[in-house]
Amino acid sequence: IMNHDVGEILLGDVSIIRQLKGEGKDKKIVERLALVNMTQKLETNARNAVLSDFDSFEESIENVMDLNVLLAKFLDTLQADHFILINGINLPENSELISTIVHKRFLTYSSVFRQALDRQSLGKASDEVGEITNYMLEKWSEVGVTIN
């Protein structure tokens, strides 16, 4: 999970809200180039491992099979949603936008992660991810955000 954020150190993050507005379309390319520059002095194997981890994390969720990458993507979006939930202003007024973001990322990532866990006969872990997902949906509701 760490490697995908390293490129943002120099550039800053392009939030999902800005992405939905059409900004940061080349975000992954720019972040990877920053990561390439930042890892120039590492040994080749270490550099390749960092870049490989970044590439794996940035892969479209539908194409990811590795449970570690799926876990990292789920935790990353859970953290982002939790941050908005705790620190957001006028959440009910932004319910439609928040619903779009939650569907686009959190619910999609949760579903794909759970399916992968189920395929590997990890039903208990899948159930726990489901419980976390339901908890977050309840929290959105408690603050007046409708997730359609």
Side-chain angles (χ1 to χ4, degrees):
I1 195 167
M2 178 188 73
N3 286 343
H4 90 279
D5 282 336
V6 174
E8 296 171 0
I9 292 172
L10 300 176
L11 309 166
D13 191 13
V14 179
S15 71
I16 186 69
I17 294 170
R18 290 176 51 203
Q19 291 175 47
L20 289 172
K21 293 179 180 177
E23 297 177 34
K25 292 185 179 181
D26 58 351
K27 169 183 167 22
K28 292 177 188 177
I29 295 168
V30 172
E31 287 178 1
R32 191 176 195 287
L33 288 174
L35 195 57
V36 167
N37 289 332
M38 293 170 71
T39 58
Q40 284 179 346
K41 294 185 180 183
L42 292 177
E43 293 181 8
T44 302
N45 288 342
R47 183 179 194 203
N48 289 343
V50 169
L51 294 173
S52 177
D53 286 347
F54 176 86
D55 292 340
S56 295
F57 185 89
E58 294 299 331
E59 187 72 36
S60 176
I61 189 74
E62 295 81 14
N63 298 327
V64 177
M65 295 296 180
D66 185 311
L67 286 181
N68 292 318
V69 175
L70 290 170
L71 173 62
K73 289 173 99 53
F74 176 75
L75 291 176
D76 185 58
T77 191
L78 174 64
Q79 176 271 327
D81 285 9
H82 183 261
F83 183 83
I84 294 169
L85 184 65
I86 298 303
N87 298 299
I89 300 170
N90 301 324
L91 295 176
E93 294 174 22
N94 295 297
S95 189
E96 186 176 333
L97 175 60
I98 292 169
S99 180
T100 299
I101 292 168
V102 169
H103 276 284
K104 181 178 176 82
R105 297 210 20 193
F106 183 67
L107 293 178
T108 298
Y109 290 16
S110 173
S111 176
V112 171
F113 187 31
R114 290 188 73 196
Q115 290 170 18
L117 290 167
D118 288 336
R119 277 194 302 276
Q120 295 196 23
S121 300
L122 298 169
K124 187 172 182 178
S126 175
D127 291 344
E128 289 181 27
V129 171
E131 290 174 19
I132 293 167
T133 302
N134 290 333
Y135 176 82
M136 286 298 290
L137 292 174
E138 289 171 17
K139 291 300 170 187
W140 284 121
S141 179
E142 287 175 12
V143 298
V145 173
T146 303
I147 306 296
N148 299 323

